[in-house]
Amino acid sequence: VRSITIEANLEDGLSLGDAIAHLNQIVDDKLPDTVVVDYKGESRDFFAAGGALLFVFLLGVAVVFLVLSAQFESFVHPLIIMLTVPVVIGGGLFGLWLTGSSLNIYSQIGLVMLVGLAAKNGILIVEFANQLRDQGVEFADALREASTTRFRPILMTGITTAAGTFPLILGSGAGAETRAVIGIVVLAGVLTSVALTLFVVPVAYNIMARNTGSPGDVRRRLFRERTSSQPAE
């Protein structure tokens, strides 16, 4: 089988992903369909790492959803919280685009981190709304009070998390470029989460959780049934 090996160095400012995409486009345009292209070295590692991180990302989303389902004793409430994940992922990608950074292994690690950071803000609102409903507060009032009361904690944790990314972004020395990409993704995602979670979660909770019970409903119903079944003295 005839073969040819091409080796090249990247031009300054050109990412490995863009270079591979350009080569694949040349193969599609210039070479016949019978040609088989294989990769070695860093190019093969790029594809392997990208596929592994995609699996880790999906696994992280699934694990967070299952843990929240066990905590809230419901599949609806965790789904409401997980709706914030696309919001922060979009914010992280926007940060990459705004700074001209590429979607590489390190930026993908930052996107995985955003899954947990996104769920945190949603948990604060949904959990407090459920607690108020357990106390007998009407649905709309519980949602309104939860959103208002949890605004300050969400804002404070968002600011502290965003401040923690500045050493990564502004740092220098060996590996500064890789750390900066992670910091940019986390910073943009956290700021987006703080700005939009306060709108996405209450709206989603109002639409999806109106006809659901809070975790304490089962306990109260069992208590009423037990007390009603006891004979009067």
Side-chain angles (χ1 to χ4, degrees), residues 13 15 18 92-104 107 177-178 180-185:
S15 66
D18 293 337
L93 295 176
F94 178 75
L96 291 177
W97 174 81
L98 195 64
T99 57
S101 303
S102 62
L103 183 61
N104 52 41
S107 57
E177 297 84 359
T178 59
V181 171
I182 297 177
I184 290 171
V185 172

Side-chain angles (χ1 to χ4, degrees), residues 36-228:
V36 177
V37 180
D38 193 14
Y39 298 93
K40 295 182 179 180
E42 293 184 5
S43 299
R44 175 173 292 183
D45 295 338
F46 174 80
F47 285 108
L53 282 174
L54 177 61
F55 172 76
V56 171
F57 177 81
L58 296 177
L59 180 62
V61 172
V63 169
V64 171
F65 180 80
L66 293 176
V67 171
L68 293 177
S69 299
Q71 176 183 350
F72 289 101
E73 301 177 6
S74 168
F75 289 112
V76 176
H77 296 159
L79 182 60
I80 295 171
I81 296 173
M82 298 305 293
L83 288 177
T84 59
V85 173
V87 173
V88 298
I89 296 300
L93 295 176
F94 178 75
L96 291 177
W97 174 81
L98 195 64
T99 57
S101 303
S102 62
L103 183 61
N104 52 41
I105 297 175
Y106 300 99
S107 57
Q108 291 177 24
I109 293 174
L111 294 177
V112 173
M113 295 172 57
L114 288 179
V115 175
L117 295 176
K120 169 182 62 64
N121 294 338
I123 291 173
L124 290 175
I125 297 177
V126 173
E127 175 68 19
F128 192 59
N130 287 340
Q131 291 177 359
L132 294 176
R133 293 176 65 189
D134 287 339
Q135 298 172 8
V137 180
E138 196 271 332
F139 178 87
D141 295 335
L143 179 57
R144 188 181 304 108
E145 183 175 351
S147 302
T148 303
T149 305
R150 292 307 189 190
F151 172 76
R152 181 179 296 178
I154 291 175
L155 185 62
M156 292 176 62
T157 55
I159 291 175
T160 54
T161 305
T165 63
F166 284 104
L168 296 175
I169 299 174
L170 303 178
S172 59
E177 297 84 359
T178 59
R179 295 193 298 269
V181 171
I182 297 177
I184 290 171
V185 172
V186 175
L187 175 62
V190 168
L191 294 180
T192 305
S193 176
V194 172
L196 297 181
T197 296
L198 295 172
F199 298 96
V200 174
V201 174
V203 172
Y205 192 92
N206 183 57
I207 296 174
M208 302 173 62
R210 178 173 295 275
N211 297 322
T212 63
S214 58
D217 287 342
V218 176
R219 182 174 62 252
R220 291 195 301 270
R221 185 167 62 252
L222 292 175
F223 177 78
R224 289 195 301 267
E225 293 178 354
R226 185 178 63 181
T227 54
S228 61

